[in-house]
Amino acid sequence: MPALFCRLPLWFAHAVGAVLGWLVFLLSPTYRRRFIAHARLAGYRFGAVRGAVAHAGCMVTELPRLWWGAPVRCTWASIDVVHQAYAAGRGVVYLTPHLGCFEVSPQVAARDFTAEHGPITVLFRPARQPWLAGLMADSRRRPGLETAPTTLAGVRQMIRALRQGRAVGLLPDQVPPEGQGLWSPFFGRPAYTMTLAARLAQQTGAAVVLVRCERLARGRGFVLHPRGLAEPLAADLEMAVGQINREMEHLIREAPQQYLWGYSRYKTPRREV
């Protein structure tokens, strides 16, 4: 990755990203239809979420800076809920949807809590293209940040981390491979949803912290908004998965203009080879 792209001011990267987001939206009928349809399912007309078109592009153009460039300004809106979760001593499961700058969230958690509570382990699905897989793996080799593959070994790695009182991070609205999820309502439509997030918390007693990372205007950085579950996680797996989906919906409704409405959330899961 050319050094130039890593050194771009964040405001400039976001300006380029906004243009890119709109170009993709205008030039891809499939993406445009999916974006509008998903927003409509959640009760939003296009005018209410049109800002998400630009934010989708910002997510792409900010990555070189976040992965390989100098640190950007990231703060917590509040932090008591995170301290309380660690204090329980059973580990922390961070959950965030495809909302805002979800890529930087684990970096900030690692930055602020590794010294006292150990590294954070994030679920990581390597890209299929070898060159891209190498770049992505490189980007995640940061102090206090460990990755776990989407395999049985990766699940065991995350369980071990939680039992040591450490933290793990997942995107629970990411469509898992066939056999690793169940169909559960998401904005009123059945979506194949991972069971891993619920099972990790159920099996270890870990505290669940919901986080959204707000992308500030004019390249001023990011703000993390954490909170706990509205109710204790259900013991029944299907109920717990539905509960997490509803929590993700609530997070998205807090900032619908920063959600990836074009993400193929309702696709049929792929089979693992």
Side-chain angles (χ1 to χ4, degrees):
M1 178 66 63
L4 171 64
F5 290 96
C6 306
R7 295 176 182 173
L8 287 177
L10 198 57
W11 67 266
F12 185 77
H14 285 170
V16 173
V19 174
L20 176 64
W22 275 102
L23 281 175
V24 173
F25 184 84
L26 295 172
L27 296 176
S28 173
T30 300
Y31 172 74
R32 185 167 63 250
R33 283 194 298 268
R34 186 167 61 229
F35 182 108
I36 294 172
H38 289 180
R40 187 177 295 127
L41 274 173
Y44 295 107
R45 293 185 177 183
F46 176 68
V49 296
R50 61 181 298 152
V53 174
H55 277 281
C58 292
M59 181 201 70
V60 174
T61 54
E62 72 194 4
L63 286 180
R65 174 67 184 273
L66 299 179
W67 284 357
W68 298 288
V72 296
R73 184 174 183 272
C74 300
T75 60
W76 296 85
S78 60
I79 205 166
D80 287 349
V81 66
V82 183
H83 285 304
Q84 292 166 6
Y86 276 112
R90 294 187 176 182
V92 179
V93 178
Y94 288 107
L95 300 179
T96 184
H98 287 79
L99 176 68
C101 187
F102 55 87
E103 185 70 35
V104 83
S105 298
Q107 295 182 18
V108 180
R111 179 196 71 187
D112 294 341
F113 295 105
T114 292
E116 186 175 356
H117 301 288
I120 178 174
T121 303
V122 295
L123 191 66
F124 173 55
R125 181 181 298 166
R128 295 183 181 182
Q129 299 85 356
W131 67 270
L132 182 56
L135 284 176
M136 293 176 69
D138 241 10
S139 72
R140 287 168 169 81
R141 293 193 185 102
R142 291 173 174 265
L145 193 60
E146 298 180 355
T147 58
T150 53
T151 62
L152 183 57
V155 173
R156 289 172 176 162
Q157 178 184 346
M158 299 183 90
I159 290 175
R160 283 196 302 271
L162 291 171
R163 288 179 173 163
Q164 293 168 3
R166 292 159 45 188
V168 302
L170 304 90
L171 293 166
D173 65 337
Q174 188 167 37
V175 180
E178 186 178 19
Q180 297 182 25
L182 52 82
W183 293 94
S184 182
F186 188 72
F187 287 121
R189 177 179 172 183
Y192 198 67
T193 306
M194 70 163 63
T195 58
L196 179 58
R199 288 192 289 114
L200 287 173
Q202 289 174 335
Q203 292 178 23
T204 64
V208 176
V209 175
L210 312 170
V211 183
R212 68 176 177 91
C213 185
E214 178 186 6
R215 183 181 294 108
L216 298 178
R218 299 185 296 280
R220 291 181 292 121
F222 307 92
V223 177
L224 273 68
H225 300 265
R227 63 175 176 81
L229 293 171
E231 299 178 355
L233 192 66
D236 177 80
L237 182 60
E238 186 172 352
M239 291 178 64
V241 169
Q243 183 179 352
I244 289 174
N245 268 356
R246 290 191 296 275
E247 292 285 7
M248 295 302 103
E249 291 175 9
H250 293 327
L251 285 182
I252 292 164
R253 291 195 186 282
E254 290 175 6
Q257 294 207 15
Q258 295 200 13
Y259 182 59
L260 291 184
W261 295 107
Y263 175 62
S264 190
R265 180 66 183 92
Y266 302 98
K267 66 182 178 181
T268 301
R270 64 180 175 81
R271 293 187 177 183
E272 289 280 57
V273 180

